[in-house]
Amino acid sequence: MKTFTSYGGGVDSRIIEQAVELLREGGVVIYPTDTLYAMGCDALNPKAVEKLCRLKGINPDKQMLSVVCSDFSQAAEYARIDNRAFRIMKEYLPGPFTFVLPAAHTLPRQFKGRKTVGVRIPDNPIARAMAEALGNPVMSSSVAPYDPDDIVSPAALAIDYEHQADALIDGGEGLDTPSTVVDLTDSSNPEVLRRGAGEFEE
């Protein structure tokens, strides 16, 4: 596994370029978000999505898949966001939230089994820069360390996933709390599915 260190949590364009090159080749990259570290791949590469699902033990027919987007414009290409949903998301993003939305037909087949997609725009410049440089969302899943004490430590995650991920971007210690998940499939009636790092007013 390659390890890239982004000092101070800022964006190093050379690191982003190298990480995105691995994503384009179908690789898996561990990277920081504004909550837990995430394991990500190119969301439009079906083989990469299958690989990540296999690594994380995800059944795409039964479990929601999530993507990290660079901004609202990119998110709107891959999820159906009505005006009410957009106003709600605008209030909370970028931030530690995953919004569940109807999936657009632009996503690969693995996303269509559940007809919904979780959309994140994290308050983390590295995560957003990866999606921007890739040109489409990064399919992502929170990293679960073998030892719960390792959850915030990128150095420990590098050891835990040395033979599973292709690279890790060390952006400093992460949080030990996941994002708050909000169902916006009916935007007139938002529902909090999981309370996490973000405070959402229903």
Side-chain angles (χ1 to χ4, degrees):
M1 178 198 289
K2 297 180 180 178
T3 299
F4 306 118
T5 302
S6 184
Y7 296 99
V11 176
D12 184 323
S13 60
R14 292 170 298 177
I15 290 175
I16 298 299
E17 288 171 7
Q18 292 178 78
V20 167
E21 183 177 347
L22 289 170
L23 294 177
R24 291 196 178 112
E25 294 171 353
V28 170
V29 176
I30 295 173
Y31 65 98
T33 72
D34 52 358
T35 56
L36 303 170
Y37 266 76
M39 185 178 282
C41 70
D42 181 350
L44 300 191
N45 184 326
K47 289 185 178 180
V49 173
E50 287 177 5
K51 178 181 178 181
L52 182 50
C53 287
R54 189 169 60 252
L55 286 174
K56 290 299 306 291
I58 295 170
N59 182 342
D61 293 330
K62 296 181 180 180
Q63 295 170 262
M64 183 185 69
L65 302 182
S66 295
V67 295
V68 163
C69 298
S70 58
D71 53 27
F72 285 100
S73 177
Q74 188 178 82
E77 293 182 47
Y78 301 95
R80 298 201 299 276
I81 306 173
D82 62 29
N83 289 337
R84 188 182 290 110
F86 176 77
R87 288 196 296 272
I88 294 170
M89 294 169 69
K90 191 77 172 176
E91 182 178 349
Y92 290 95
L93 297 177
F97 296 89
T98 300
F99 288 101
V100 182
L101 296 158
H105 297 300
T106 43
L107 288 167
R109 64 182 182 275
Q110 291 93 337
F111 288 83
K112 294 180 174 65
R114 298 275 292 177
K115 298 182 180 179
T116 58
V117 61
V119 172
R120 288 215 63 200
I121 304 176
D123 188 14
N124 181 288
I126 294 172
R128 296 198 309 274
M130 282 177 56
E132 181 178 8
L134 183 61
N136 57 254
V138 178
M139 186 260 181
S140 294
S141 179
S142 297
V143 175
Y146 299 123
D147 182 344
D149 292 336
D150 293 346
I151 199 164
V152 301
S153 168
L157 293 177
I159 295 170
D160 286 350
Y161 289 91
E162 181 180 3
H163 302 295
Q164 294 176 277
D166 298 284
L168 179 141
I169 300 177
D170 180 349
E173 287 196 349
L175 298 182
D176 58 3
T177 307
S179 64
T180 290
V181 180
V182 182
D183 187 345
L184 282 183
T185 50
D186 176 4
S187 59
S188 65
N189 185 33
E191 180 184 358
V192 176
L193 303 180
R194 180 183 73 195
R195 295 199 178 274
E199 291 290 334
F200 184 85
E201 295 184 12
E202 295 183 78

